[in-house]
């Protein structure tokens, strides 16, 4: 049974991301056919996201770089759960490669918000 608290938290997170975030998309590249080869097929999924800078105390230069962003991605209306290997694209066209993902799924049923570590390709 779905817990009503998590539904309210999901709605609150979505409202804040919609208010302060930006339109973006998650790009997932499906691997090519192993027999015929070729290139992977990219598929874009629209989303709302909020890129935030990591606090200095968490930046260690190995796991979290100074240029990394913490991406808060709304879970309502998104077609996929962002995962490592996907690319999050912000409103200004900045591409963040997702190097760590956390679905914030406390009861196993409701994804409250996706918090991902995004790394720019510099």
């Amino acid at each position: 049974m779905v817990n009503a608290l998590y539904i309210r938290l999901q709605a609150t997170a979505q409202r804040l991301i919609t208010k302060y975030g930006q339109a973006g998309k998650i790009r997932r590249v499906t691997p090519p056919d192993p027999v015929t080869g070729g290139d992977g097929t990219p598929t874009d999924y629209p989303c709302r996201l909020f890129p935030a800078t990591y606090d200095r105390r968490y930046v260690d230069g190995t796991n979290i770089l100074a240029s990394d962003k913490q991406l808060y991605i709304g879970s309502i209306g998104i077609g996929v759960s962002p995962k490592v290997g996907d690319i999050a694209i912000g409103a200004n066209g900045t591409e963040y490669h997702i190097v760590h993902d956390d679905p914030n799924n406390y009861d196993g049923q409701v994804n409250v918000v996706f918090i991902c570590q995004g790394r720019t390709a510099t």
Side-chain angles (χ1 to χ4, degrees):
M1 183 170 173
V2 177
N3 190 334
L5 172 64
Y6 299 128
I7 298 294
R8 288 196 312 269
L9 288 173
Q10 182 187 46
T12 300
Q14 187 69 30
R15 182 175 38 88
L16 290 169
I17 291 171
T18 300
K19 183 175 181 178
Y20 297 108
Q22 53 187 264
K25 54 189 166 187
I26 301 294
R27 178 168 293 154
R28 181 167 291 170
V29 179
T30 57
D33 188 314
V35 175
T36 60
D39 294 330
T41 307
T43 306
D44 290 343
Y45 299 93
C47 67
R48 296 287 300 179
L49 59 92
F50 178 79
T53 304
Y54 276 98
D55 192 270
R56 274 199 196 144
R57 65 181 166 203
Y58 299 119
V59 176
D60 62 2
T62 305
N63 295 321
I64 300 176
L65 305 178
S67 61
D68 288 356
K69 297 287 183 185
Q70 198 168 18
L71 305 173
Y72 293 88
I73 303 171
S75 63
I76 297 176
I78 188 171
V80 294
S81 296
K83 64 178 187 176
V84 174
D86 290 345
I87 298 172
I89 302 172
N92 59 357
T94 304
E95 293 186 359
Y96 300 100
H97 296 272
I98 296 177
V99 295
H100 181 72
D101 62 289
D102 183 7
N104 284 270
N105 185 324
Y106 305 110
D107 64 351
Q109 296 176 344
V110 178
N111 292 322
V112 175
V113 65
F114 299 109
I115 302 176
C116 302
Q117 179 182 353
R119 185 165 290 161
T120 56
T122 55

